Amino acid sequence: MAKLSLINRDIKRAKLVEKFAAKRAALTAIINDTSKSDEERYEARLKLQQLPRNANPTRMRNRCVITGRPRGVFSKFGLTRHKLREMAMRGEVPGMTKASW
């Protein structure tokens, strides 16, 4: 299990990302709009830089829902490879079976 402080930090980042998502999308739309003047686009760029760093979605880390482990996470299931294998062996993941040939 991962340290609880790291898990809580990621939860806090996720809340910030959700809070500033609309504002970030609006500013990036202005920045990418070539019909706007250079001054407007420059001001939008400055406002985007003023947002908190943790409001950027790239700073979020995929973690296992059960253990909080940050590596080896299958995004389709939200589980690490260890827990996914355990649950698949017990038949708790629908449609997943052990491969044999």
Side-chain angles (χ1 to χ4, degrees):
M1 180 117 186
K3 287 177 67 175
L4 198 57
S5 60
L6 297 178
I7 295 171
N8 288 337
R9 187 185 303 165
D10 274 343
I11 292 170
K12 186 178 176 182
R13 282 182 181 152
K15 287 178 185 173
L16 267 177
V17 167
E18 186 179 337
K19 179 180 177 182
F20 288 100
K23 190 171 187 178
R24 177 174 290 277
L27 289 172
T28 52
I30 292 171
I31 292 168
N32 293 332
D33 188 7
T34 55
S35 65
K36 301 276 186 187
S37 69
D38 288 338
E39 291 83 20
E40 285 179 308
R41 294 171 67 197
Y42 179 72
E43 287 176 19
R45 212 172 281 124
L46 290 178
K47 287 179 184 175
L48 187 66
Q49 288 176 357
Q50 295 300 317
L51 294 180
R53 276 192 181 179
N54 286 335
N56 194 343
T58 58
R59 290 179 66 97
M60 287 180 20
R61 186 80 160 120
N62 282 348
R63 289 190 176 269
C64 178
V65 177
I66 297 171
T67 61
R69 180 183 160 90
R71 293 175 178 247
V73 178
F74 285 79
S75 57
K76 183 176 182 180
F77 303 102
L79 301 170
T80 56
R81 54 195 172 91
H82 307 294
K83 289 297 175 183
L84 183 62
R85 184 171 189 272
E86 284 177 15
M87 292 177 78
M89 292 297 209
R90 284 186 260 143
E92 295 175 359
V93 181
M96 184 175 275
T97 57
K98 185 176 184 294
S100 61
W101 55 90

